[in-house]
């Protein structure tokens, strides 16, 4: 299953791009979305991540964004994790979106998804669209 018809989606990285993707997917009405991030919110995040508030600075970005994203669609089960991105984490989902990921992480998860092609559809977005875009 891929795209907006996915049942279980993982969105990695709750910076400006990640939260925009999360918002659109949640509003689209998938069955379940998990937000992943292990970074803490900074004042710089406030300029692009509109689900964070000044009081969230220093808190985990996924945990701080969760309450506001949950309000978007009560029919979508929305949770978060601070677990690092790994094959084990990714294997629980049928669609994975990587944002704010290193090239090494993208390639590692891409290799895993290719081996599990019938289970996982991987969408990757770089920090800067002009720099690179990778979709597998």
């Amino acid at each position: 299953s891929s795209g907006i018809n996915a049942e279980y989606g993982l969105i990695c990285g709750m910076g400006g791009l990640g939260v925009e993707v999360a918002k659109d997917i949640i509003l689209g009405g998938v069955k379940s979305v998990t937000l992943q991030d292990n970074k803490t919110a900074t004042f710089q995040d406030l300029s692009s991540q509109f689900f964070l508030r000044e009081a969230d600075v220093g808190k985990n970005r996924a945990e701080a964004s969760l309450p506001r994203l949950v309000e978007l669609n009560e029919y979508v089960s929305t949770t978060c994790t601070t677990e690092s991105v790994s094959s084990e984490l990714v294997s629980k989902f049928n669609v994975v979106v990587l944002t704010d990921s290193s090239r090494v992480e993208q390639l590692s998860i891409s290799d895993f998804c290719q081996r599990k092609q019938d289970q996982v559809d991987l969408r990757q977005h770089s920090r800067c669209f002009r720099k690179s875009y990778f979709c597998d």
Side-chain angles (χ1 to χ4, degrees):
S1 199
S2 66
I4 204 67
N5 296 321
E7 290 187 30
Y8 305 99
L10 174 67
I11 304 165
C12 303
M14 287 292 104
L17 176 59
V19 80
E20 179 67 24
V21 170
K23 174 191 68 91
D24 290 345
I25 289 175
I26 292 167
L27 288 172
V30 298
K31 183 175 184 177
S32 173
V33 171
T34 299
L35 315 171
Q36 182 281 337
D37 205 323
N38 40 6
K39 294 182 180 177
T40 57
T42 65
F43 279 104
Q44 186 178 10
D45 287 319
L46 300 179
S47 67
S48 63
Q49 213 279 32
F50 50 87
F51 284 88
L52 293 175
R53 305 293 181 265
E54 194 170 327
D56 296 324
V57 171
K59 297 177 183 175
N60 176 275
R61 296 189 305 184
E63 292 174 340
S65 302
L66 180 64
R68 294 174 192 100
L69 286 166
V70 165
E71 293 176 359
L72 294 175
N73 190 338
E74 64 186 52
Y75 300 108
V76 175
S77 173
T78 306
T79 60
C80 73
T81 182
T82 59
E83 181 181 339
S84 294
V85 177
S86 65
S87 299
E88 184 179 327
L89 176 63
V90 167
S91 69
K92 300 172 188 174
F93 302 91
N94 61 345
V95 171
V96 177
V97 177
L98 297 179
T99 67
D100 206 16
S101 296
S102 70
R103 185 74 172 153
V104 170
E105 186 174 69
Q106 290 176 10
L107 293 173
S108 171
I109 297 302
S110 176
D111 288 345
F112 171 78
C113 290
Q114 286 177 358
R115 290 192 305 273
K116 302 288 185 186
Q117 222 168 19
D118 59 330
Q119 296 175 341
V120 182
D121 182 24
L122 177 66
R123 305 288 177 199
Q124 300 178 10
H125 302 275
S126 72
R127 292 182 191 183
C128 176
F129 288 115
R130 287 182 244 166
K131 184 176 175 186
S132 70
Y133 176 80
F134 183 88
C135 183
D136 189 11

